[in-house]
Amino acid sequence: MGKKNFRSIFIGNKRGSRIYKETRIKDPDYISDIPVYTDVKPIGYRYGKEYRVIPEMIPDIIVPDLTDCPLKPYVSYRANVAVQEEFTAKTLFSFVYEEKIKKDFANQKLDASSLPLEPSDAESLSSETAYLEARKTGSDIFSERIPRHWECLELKSDK
Amino acid sequence: MKITDSLSCILKRVGKLTKQYSNLPDSYIKRTAEQVEYTAPKMIQYLPYQRKRRTQDFRFTTNRPWTQEFKRENEGLPRSEVFIEPIKDWSIFRGDRVEILVGRDKGKHGIVSQIFEERNWVIVNGMNWYYRRIGESDDYPGTIIRQELPLLVTTEVSLVDPSDNKITKVVWRYTEDGEKVRVSSRTGRIIPVPAAANETYDYKVKSAYLEGDKDTKSDVVEKVTFQPELKTFDMDVMKSMGIEEDRTPKKSYWY
């Protein structure tokens, strides 16, 4: 074939359908030294000469039903896109619990040790139930890595 | 919008007003204006490398940088460099009344219709024109039209003070409310920025924009639908899908 400056040869986009790649390989100008890389993930394995397809490996793209969906790909210029503040643990607390505890304190519904006299569902949770809930589906204690004690020294303080 | 390439990026040379009027994203302007000759494949053996036309070899014209005409004008051997006076505070906007100081239309007033910040040019509507033929072919002589030529903002054009309709130099000052305004250095009167300055290709005023099929309506966008709940992501998904967990995990012991 001779010496060629492969860097200056414009191969082009290496993506394409399987049929396109096959026709390219059969093309007389195809340079066999530079392979046709595919970005497609395999859907099976080669066993000798044949290729065995595993149905579970074929990607299943799930698209929700978008009829009557008001959300579209673009945003109208008319919309006033406001900047929202950061959603911190403090904001979550004020949304979820702040009101109740303020009301209880104002109406003297807290006993001597500051425990509520009329507890809500979340307040009347016992330690055993909490222990079990943390091990059921829906808990996230197993997904996150527990930071080592030396990593907790640089915790950001919530102002 | 981040300009990711550090030094050699044509995007840095494109004027702010050009981008504002076009409503095009930076990535599009960069992709279309840049003339990349060769990009190294994104494989582990190759270092990231791009061979493209140097930013200093581009000459900006009255054709916008993302157009095909601009590409044709910036092909082949680079032309000699055009020296552009750097202007610190750009003071002339679309819709401004200006007086022309040179040429056939010297002394006449006109309204600015286009701005080319990269060349310090403005096009004043109906002024400084020349005759031109378009659609010429072998048997058809073509239609004669008038085409405006650009005028330099620094020397050939000057803003007009609305109070006395005479030319004036302009400085930027702050009002008591903190608003940045143009003040005529001769009379001291504020020259307000015209409404046409905030126009874009898609709308004259944002509230007058006609929403298309693929646009999410503004009331849908502005609606706050987020309800904070004391739930983990998994719990939220379970709630929306109606998954109930009624199994009890077995107790484990430490000895």
Side-chain angles (χ1 to χ4, degrees), chain A:
Chain A
M1 199 171 59
K3 190 179 175 185
K4 277 196 187 287
N5 181 11
F6 291 116
R7 295 183 90 205
S8 58
I9 295 169
F10 182 63
I11 304 285
N13 202 330
K14 295 216 174 107
R15 292 203 189 96
S17 64
R18 207 171 293 271
I19 299 159
Y20 168 74
K21 282 182 211 128
E22 280 167 18
T23 46
R24 260 206 56 218
I25 290 164
K26 288 178 190 148
D27 186 39
D29 296 322
Y30 172 64
I31 302 155
S32 58
D33 282 5
I34 300 161
V36 180
Y37 278 100
T38 65
D39 274 358
V40 180
K41 300 277 183 276
I43 56 160
Y45 61 94
R46 264 184 61 198
Y47 187 75
K49 275 193 183 174
E50 66 165 308
Y51 188 84
R52 288 187 181 174
V53 171
I54 301 166
E56 286 84 359
M57 281 177 84
I58 300 167
D60 198 14
I61 301 163
I62 301 163
V63 179
D65 189 22
L66 291 173
T67 54
D68 302 325
C69 181
L71 303 173
K72 303 277 181 193
Y74 302 95
V75 175
S76 150
Y77 285 111
R78 274 199 233 164
N80 294 317
V81 186
V83 177
Q84 283 186 304
E85 66 252 340
E86 197 191 335
F87 185 70
T88 57
K90 195 168 184 182
T91 346
L92 180 64
F93 174 85
S94 56
F95 264 105
V96 168
Y97 192 41
E98 195 179 298
E99 206 184 301
K100 166 117 202 317
I101 201 159
K102 272 189 178 169
K103 206 165 65 168
D104 278 353
F105 184 75
N107 303 340
Q108 282 111 37
K109 291 279 172 61
L110 299 173
D111 65 9
S113 49
S114 301
L115 290 168
L117 293 166
E118 288 163 17
S120 65
D121 289 337
E123 283 176 316
S124 48
L125 198 69
S126 68
S127 61
E128 290 90 20
T129 332
Y131 179 92
L132 291 173
E133 289 289 319
R135 276 145 190 80
K136 284 186 183 176
T137 315
S139 80
D140 57 357
I141 63 170
F142 304 107
S143 54
E144 281 186 38
R145 180 180 159 270
I146 299 161
R148 307 288 169 167
H149 69 272
W150 60 83
E151 287 163 329
C152 302
L153 293 170
E154 282 141 85
L155 276 172
K156 276 185 263 183
S157 61
D158 227 48
K159 290 209 178 87

Side-chain angles (χ1 to χ4, degrees), chain A residues 7 14 37 70-80 87 92 95-96 131-132 135-138 140, chain B residues 23 38 43 202-203 206-207 209 211 213-216 218 222 228-229 232 234-235 238 245 247 249 252:
Chain A
R7 295 183 90 205
K14 295 216 174 107
Y37 278 100
L71 303 173
K72 303 277 181 193
Y74 302 95
V75 175
S76 150
Y77 285 111
R78 274 199 233 164
N80 294 317
F87 185 70
L92 180 64
F95 264 105
V96 168
Y131 179 92
L132 291 173
R135 276 145 190 80
K136 284 186 183 176
T137 315
D140 57 357
Chain B
N23 262 336
Y38 167 79
M43 285 185 249
D202 292 305
Y203 55 82
K206 267 196 178 170
S207 52
Y209 172 70
E211 281 158 350
D213 288 333
K214 290 190 181 174
D215 285 318
T216 320
S218 49
E222 287 162 12
E229 277 180 73
T232 62
D234 298 39
M235 287 176 179
M238 280 169 75
E245 179 63 279
R247 302 174 295 178
S252 59

